[in-house]
Amino acid sequence: MGRTLTSVKRRHYRVLHRDPAAFSVPATAADFDTFLATFTELGYCEGGSIESSIETQEKISLDDGTRLPVGIKGTLKGTLLQSEVADYTAVETIEGVKQDILLYSEDTGMCIFYPNAILEFQESVKSGDIEKIPFTYEAENLGSKSEFRTRFQQPTA
């Protein structure tokens, strides 16, 4: 099967959170609705502000001369668009507290789940502009990429 551009779409992610809980990728649309109902919405991210990266943190040398990656570092950054006092209160209650974070694009059905994330929030207020809350999450010494995040498509059936 050849490559196409049909899956290349601009994604506008909703940012949601919940207390850490057991996770498995929802298999059906009903499972997804139940899963989504366990989250509380933080807001939408500013277009182009989400950055998620995974890199090798440490490698060890093997007897055959090759190098084996043994540590993964993951970083998530984004900017929430906020405008109400209640929005700031909501992020303050979860700052520094382990939370499951879900980025969800209703347009494309793309979901990215970050388990046990500890978010750090900043504030950015500029007169005449939309108020913003930049956030960062970093995790080090992970054994696999899936310990940092799981990508999945919203089931439609």
Side-chain angles (χ1 to χ4, degrees):
M1 177 188 257
R3 294 188 181 269
T4 71
L5 297 177
T6 57
S7 65
V8 179
K9 299 177 184 176
R10 173 175 265 181
R11 295 182 171 94
H12 299 282
Y13 286 103
R14 291 171 56 195
V15 181
L16 304 110
H17 73 96
R18 70 176 184 185
D19 287 334
F23 169 74
S24 60
V25 174
T28 66
D31 291 345
F32 182 78
D33 290 343
T34 301
F35 170 72
L36 197 59
T38 65
F39 287 85
T40 300
E41 187 162 340
L42 281 176
Y44 282 88
C45 275
E46 180 177 38
S49 73
I50 296 174
E51 296 178 39
S52 183
S53 63
I54 296 175
E55 58 190 71
T56 301
Q57 189 172 14
E58 183 179 345
K59 295 179 184 180
I60 59 171
S61 296
L62 301 178
D63 291 341
D64 65 1
T66 59
R67 295 186 42 90
L68 175 68
V70 293
I72 302 288
K73 177 182 178 182
T75 304
L76 170 66
K77 295 180 181 182
T79 303
L80 292 170
L81 299 176
Q82 307 302 108
S83 60
E84 297 178 10
V85 172
D87 296 328
Y88 289 93
T89 303
V91 298
E92 287 174 7
T93 62
I94 66 165
E95 184 167 23
V97 177
K98 283 186 180 181
Q99 294 285 287
D100 288 343
I101 301 297
L102 179 66
L103 302 181
Y104 169 47
S105 172
E106 293 172 311
D107 294 338
T108 65
M110 173 65 76
C111 299
I112 310 172
F113 177 77
Y114 296 86
N116 298 303
I118 299 175
L119 296 180
E120 174 186 342
F121 296 97
Q122 297 82 42
E123 289 184 25
S124 176
V125 179
K126 181 178 177 183
S127 117
D129 199 0
I130 297 171
E131 294 184 17
K132 301 173 185 180
I133 302 178
F135 64 88
T136 305
Y137 162 52
E138 293 180 330
E140 296 182 342
N141 296 319
L142 302 172
S144 67
K145 293 177 182 179
S146 63
E147 283 183 56
F148 178 64
R149 60 94 187 106
T150 300
R151 294 177 187 271
F152 64 95
Q153 191 68 32
Q154 174 186 357
T156 56

